[in-house]
Amino acid sequence: MKKYILVLSICFAIASQNAEAQNKEKKENKEGKVSAIDHAKAQFDYAFEEFAKVKASGAKGVSPRTTKGDTLVLVASKDWTSGFFSGNLWYMYELTKDKKWLEKAKEFSAPIEQEKTNGVTHDMGFKIYCSFGNGYRLTKDPKYRDIMIQSARTLITRFNPTVGCIRSWDHHAEVWDFPVIIDNMMNLELLFWAFKETKDSTFYKVAVSHANTTMKNHFRPDFSSYHVIGYDPKTGQVTKRNTHQGFSDESSWARGQAWGLYSYTMCYRETGDKKYLQQAEKIGNYILNHPSMPKDLVPYWDYNAPKIPNEPRDVSAATITASALYELSTMVPEKAVLYKETADKIMKSLNKTYKAEPLTNKGFLLIHSTGNLPAKSEIDVPIVYADYYYLEALLRKRKLNK
Ligand code: GLY
């Protein structure tokens, strides 16, 4: 009888703790008119309608990326952003447990499968890990596993052992012989996964070599990073240090800094190597203490943009940073509170000021991202990957609160 009462009390305590966590989540995310999850549900339903409309009007493409004026922009599976929309739907399934999102996630993931043999780009991780990676994690469908392993094999064909990196672009061959961009670090998560799944250490060695070489050559003494490093593929020497999407070669492009923080945090998770943790913390320190960082922690598109504060923000850099900080908070006990509270503050700003009005913005969740300002492309618009890391951050926050 005593045992029975004890078990009952434990169950009761857990149930009330869960209810409390759920209430806390609702309250924290309710900045604005509706909760973050209810807002996302309504926006994605609206996005499906807009997607159907634009397809019916003859648009090509498999996945929403952004808006241009009053048009929803779709991309082909080969675009680096093609995996984020289905990734958003996988996260919706995880957040709500509603099978409706599972079906939609499967539907929008399917056309991206053909990318598994596309070896002309480094963006495999973005495309495949965000779509099928989440799909496999949530369903354990062996077909998704095969797609991911094939994709990882294709990705490592771009590795040059003399340089020690995976080549980023094949385009702009007239500028760089062997360009490596900071964003490329994000693709390593797929390789760490492939190593764990297959036990083929090649995946691990390529990922670690790329992470180490990038750590050596991409970062300045203050832990800000260059966007593009050009290498001589025959000697491995650095030949150029440039930007492509930032303000200038020596400036700090906001999303690039966020990719660095996120990816070195991930590298520490996957290897346990403390040097990656230190790197992530130093990058985080650079971002959070930068004099150009606004009070709401949503950065301008480049920390050195010349007309700050009259420059567009990049919400995508903020969502990537929030998600990374939630993970980092689990790795550094003495700074757990600081990192979590900082991520919470970013999420609060996003929920309060940067959420799209319901049933606007073609169904994207957040406004005010900047894709490529120097190319005059995607300035102050909604962008699918900002939503992806926002939903991931919501999930990470929920897990931490529990
Ligand atoms: N990977 C390209 C970008 O961050 O815009």
Side-chain angles (χ1 to χ4, degrees), residues 174-354:
E174 72 291 358
V175 186
W176 297 286
D177 284 338
F178 191 102
V180 178
I181 62 174
I182 187 68
D183 329 23
N184 198 341
M185 282 293 300
M186 297 294 284
N187 295 306
L188 304 185
E189 200 166 4
L190 174 68
L191 300 184
F192 284 124
W193 174 88
F195 163 64
K196 284 184 288 191
E197 206 63 29
T198 63
K199 308 285 175 272
D200 180 346
S201 63
T202 314
F203 295 121
Y204 189 90
K205 286 181 191 151
V206 167
V208 164
S209 168
H210 186 100
N212 291 345
T213 308
T214 300
M215 205 160 114
K216 188 165 137 226
N217 296 326
H218 254 88
F219 290 87
R220 307 182 184 104
D222 63 0
F223 293 91
S224 66
S225 72
Y226 290 98
H227 185 195
V228 193
I229 295 291
Y231 290 94
D232 179 334
K234 293 200 188 78
T235 64
Q237 290 304 303
V238 171
T239 54
K240 289 183 175 170
R241 295 181 175 84
N242 304 112
T243 196
H244 184 60
Q245 282 155 260
F247 166 62
S248 72
D249 288 346
E250 290 300 327
S251 74
S252 301
W253 174 52
R255 195 161 54 258
Q257 313 313 304
W259 290 141
L261 171 67
Y262 188 109
S263 57
Y264 280 100
T265 305
M266 175 273 292
C267 284
Y268 176 61
R269 180 218 309 148
E270 295 300 335
T271 63
D273 188 335
K274 279 262 178 338
K275 71 172 180 276
Y276 298 138
L277 179 62
Q278 282 159 11
Q279 183 76 4
E281 286 210 89
K282 285 171 175 161
I283 300 169
N285 191 44
Y286 175 86
I287 293 175
L288 298 172
N289 295 306
H290 199 285
S292 301
M293 177 61 97
K295 278 209 173 61
D296 68 1
L297 299 182
V298 175
Y300 297 98
W301 68 282
D302 188 304
Y303 289 96
N304 307 104
K307 293 184 202 133
I308 288 173
N310 300 314
E311 295 278 359
R313 303 290 185 104
D314 181 15
V315 159
S316 76
T319 64
I320 297 160
T321 300
S323 186
L325 287 175
Y326 281 129
E327 175 154 50
L328 200 55
S329 78
T330 66
M331 297 168 166
V332 193
E334 63 282 12
K335 296 215 190 114
V337 173
L338 172 72
Y339 290 145
K340 170 146 190 317
E341 283 183 358
T342 308
D344 284 345
K345 191 173 164 198
I346 299 174
M347 295 303 277
K348 201 168 172 187
S349 297
L350 296 172
N351 288 325
K352 191 170 168 191
T353 316
Y354 297 88

Side-chain angles (χ1 to χ4, degrees), residues 87-192:
N88 287 343
L89 303 176
W90 286 114
Y91 281 149
M92 285 304 286
Y93 174 50
E94 194 171 3
L95 281 159
T96 64
K97 307 281 180 286
D98 182 343
K99 290 255 162 49
K100 161 187 161 171
W101 302 108
L102 170 68
E103 294 312 317
K104 283 291 183 189
K106 285 185 189 168
E107 183 189 321
F108 277 89
S109 296
I112 301 160
E113 177 179 348
Q114 60 182 355
E115 292 307 305
K116 67 187 177 188
T117 51
N118 179 358
V120 304
T121 157
H122 71 136
D123 287 319
M124 196 66 101
F126 285 122
K127 291 190 270 191
I128 298 295
Y129 200 78
C130 301
S131 54
F132 295 106
N134 281 311
Y136 183 63
R137 188 173 57 80
L138 295 169
T139 65
K140 294 287 171 258
D141 182 337
K143 188 168 176 246
Y144 290 175
R145 181 182 182 275
D146 293 346
I147 294 169
M148 291 170 74
I149 291 171
Q150 173 65 67
S151 304
R153 292 211 185 286
T154 303
L155 178 57
I156 59 172
T157 61
R158 299 182 65 78
F159 181 70
N160 175 326
T162 306
V163 173
C165 279
I166 296 163
R167 180 188 179 117
S168 290
W169 303 321
D170 289 353
H171 58 78
H172 288 87
E174 72 291 358
V175 186
W176 297 286
D177 284 338
F178 191 102
V180 178
I181 62 174
I182 187 68
D183 329 23
N184 198 341
M185 282 293 300
M186 297 294 284
N187 295 306
L188 304 185
E189 200 166 4
L190 174 68
L191 300 184
F192 284 124

